[in-house]
Amino acid sequence: MSALTGRYEILLSGSGGQGIILSGIVLAEAGIAEGRKVVQTASYGPESRGGASRSQVILSREEIDYPGVISPNFVFVLTQLAADKYAHTVSPQGFVLADSSWVEAVPQNLPAPIIALRLSEEAASRFGMALFANVIGLGFFIERSGVLRAESVTEALARRVPKHYREANLEAFTFGRELAKQQSGQ
Amino acid sequence: MAQTLLLQGNEACAEGALYAGCRFYGGYPITPSSEIAEYLARKLPLAGGTFVQMEDEIASIASIIGASMAGVKAMTATSGPGFSLMQENLDLAAVTETPVVIVDAMRGGPSTGMPTATGQGDYMQARWGSHSDHPVVVLAPAGAQEMFDLTVKAFNIAEALRLPVVLLPEAVVSHIREAVRIPDPGEMEVIDRYQPDDYEGNGFFRRDERGLAYPPVLGSGFHPHYTGLAHAEDGFPSNDPGVVRKFVEGLNQKVAKNLDLVTDFEEEAVEDAEVILASFGVTGRACQHVARLLRKQGHRVGYFRPRIVWPFPEARVRELAHTADTFVVAELNLGQMRLEVERIACGEARVVGLHKVDGSMLEIHEILVKVNEVLP
């Protein structure tokens, strides 16, 4: 995070349908609730499922001029393609989270730590769907970075996900936070 | 109560349209503009308005011209491929002096190009896409808040000057999500169409001292004749050279005679700047970032971004050309706004282009490299 402006950059990338864009929206909405300036941008291909998908969020204490990510403090990759393309862009002060259910060759020698967890498999066995991997990742990220309060993210998450998946999403978020606590305890 | 919401650029545009009093949308969905249609399809009926999905883009613009002639504020939204189809009727709106707002959310590349990627290649098309001399005003928002603000402004200009106004966001601006403050009703100016009580001698298209004509709304009791043919003040076609000259010149002088309404730009640290980064849309925000960065390092770099890109803010750019050494014009096309800056700078200042057409935004380091090349 830039000490001057408090600019904090987040880059989430995976495949269309993994919930990458929604995760970005949830973080941006939580940021607004905490009085931050926020920008969320996305890029994806013409297909609605599959294809490379990227969501970027910038949180800042000051007005955000350039809305693109320059040097992300947090990079979350859910496919091998995303890992190969974005893991190395992480800021030296940040960290990378990789879903090793999909990222088989975890990038090495990055400027910052990379944590590889089998998120999609965990999501499938605990919550019935691999789709919850992104929310587990969100919980992990919030717990480890402390950049936003867990309550703000929980509230935004509850607002943005379909009603009948709300409980499962909130549980997945909490599970992600637990994973981060276990990590830091190791 | 005014509220601040996390809105996508396209949603902010739709909210702006509702705020401005738009009550008719006729359109054909196309990426990256579709969320404007989706949002208004839900919201317009609740506001007593009408949403129609038309069969194509030619019909879409025809429908909004018809709605507007009937006195309803109307808009459509599309992207490059649809905007090309709309050109035929865009200048029908211009010559019949019918206010309409058209959003062209720019995707990357010519033809169907890259639907979800960004670009600024329609800059010249927005001004000159229709044939012959015709007036059109074009606004280029740089973020979600400006998608709201400039949509309101687009309707105001359209209604005040009675012409088609184009809102020209890049795909990134259409899809960006930012906090948007929606003002209370009455907080922002909303201009409604002026309707005279009387038209002496059926002078439905007669101009006042501001160069403006106020043809009547259909169904208001007057019986105007609307045509795309060159016409006299009564609206009927004419080939009389004197009438036609007055018709074409009068139409095109509307903008020049009302520059106060159609001049809008943002600038920073330009007074003593040796190098001015000039750009429009979200690309301008990248330039602003770089200009601030270089200022902190002691370089005399400024930033200039027109929010209304047509008419181009010629008077201001001419002044800046006297004081600055170099303009760096950054845009996601091969050099379209650069042509305007070159024309106006006219040798007074050097003009250097920074152009990118791969479907992605300009990145900070790319601009830095270019500016470092030209810094004294």
Side-chain angles (χ1 to χ4, degrees), chain B residues 43-115:
Chain B
K43 296 269 183 132
L44 262 179
L46 301 174
T50 306
F51 176 94
V52 186
Q53 180 168 328
M54 301 300 294
E55 66 268 38
D56 61 30
E57 286 87 351
I58 301 177
S60 299
I61 188 166
S63 75
I64 65 169
I65 292 171
S68 181
M69 280 179 176
V72 179
K73 291 186 186 179
M75 77 178 296
T76 189
T78 187
S79 182
F83 193 49
S84 293
L85 291 174
M86 289 186 183
Q87 294 305 324
E88 170 183 332
N89 274 335
L90 191 145
D91 68 355
L92 177 66
V95 303
T96 55
E97 312 203 32
T98 307
V100 289
V101 172
I102 300 146
V103 182
D104 172 21
M106 292 184 285
R107 50 170 66 189
S111 189
T112 36
M114 296 169 284

Side-chain angles (χ1 to χ4, degrees), chain B residues 22 31 47 61 65 89 121 144 149 156 168 199 233 240 255 287 294 323-324 342 344 346 351 360:
Chain B
C22 172
T31 300
I61 188 166
I65 292 171
N89 274 335
D149 296 345
N156 284 347
L168 195 66
Y199 297 89
E233 285 180 349
D240 178 285
V255 172
C287 291
L294 291 170
T323 55
E342 280 172 352
I344 296 161
C346 201
V351 180
S360 66

Side-chain angles (χ1 to χ4, degrees), chain B residues 229-310:
Chain B
L229 293 168
H231 47 266
E233 285 180 349
D234 62 5
F236 283 95
S238 172
N239 275 2
D240 178 285
V243 169
V244 173
R245 181 176 53 78
K246 206 172 155 190
F247 161 75
V248 178
E249 289 180 357
L251 267 183
N252 287 281
Q253 283 163 2
K254 287 202 293 190
V255 172
K257 284 185 173 176
N258 293 280
L259 281 181
D260 55 324
L261 255 180
V262 289
T263 304
D264 188 357
F265 55 80
E266 180 176 83
E267 59 182 30
E268 241 176 63
V270 290
E271 278 69 25
D272 66 339
E274 294 169 321
V275 176
I276 294 178
L277 277 163
S279 189
F280 66 103
V282 77
T283 310
R285 287 169 67 169
C287 291
Q288 186 178 31
H289 186 91
V290 168
R292 287 171 174 175
L293 209 66
L294 291 170
R295 270 281 162 183
K296 276 184 199 149
Q297 294 171 11
H299 297 290
R300 282 156 63 185
V301 176
Y303 147 79
F304 182 81
R305 173 173 69 89
R307 275 187 281 254
I308 296 184
V309 294
W310 295 109

Side-chain angles (χ1 to χ4, degrees), chain B residues 15-45:
Chain B
E15 282 289 349
L18 291 165
Y19 188 93
C22 172
R23 291 297 178 267
F24 183 89
Y25 182 101
Y28 189 82
I30 181 171
T31 300
S33 76
S34 300
E35 294 86 359
I36 299 173
E38 287 173 25
Y39 202 85
L40 288 174
R42 282 197 305 273
K43 296 269 183 132
L44 262 179

Side-chain angles (χ1 to χ4, degrees), chain A residues 70-125:
Chain A
I70 303 165
S71 176
N73 302 81
F74 173 57
V75 178
F76 184 16
V77 289
L78 289 96
T79 61
Q80 187 67 50
L81 186 70
D84 296 344
K85 207 167 166 187
Y86 298 117
H88 69 277
T89 66
V90 67
S91 147
Q93 288 82 40
F95 69 102
V96 181
L97 177 63
D99 180 353
S100 48
S101 299
W102 301 108
V103 182
E104 287 176 1
V106 176
Q108 301 298 323
N109 303 319
L110 301 176
I114 181 164
I115 300 139
L117 299 169
R118 305 188 80 81
L119 298 176
S120 289
E121 285 152 281
E122 286 279 6
S125 69

Side-chain angles (χ1 to χ4, degrees), chain A residues 25 40 44 64-66, chain B residues 116 175 177 285 289 292 362:
Chain A
I25 294 173
Q40 187 266 337
Y44 47 88
I64 299 167
D65 42 31
Y66 180 61
Chain B
T116 56
H175 286 162
R177 281 186 179 82
R285 287 169 67 169
H289 186 91
R292 287 171 174 175
L362 265 170

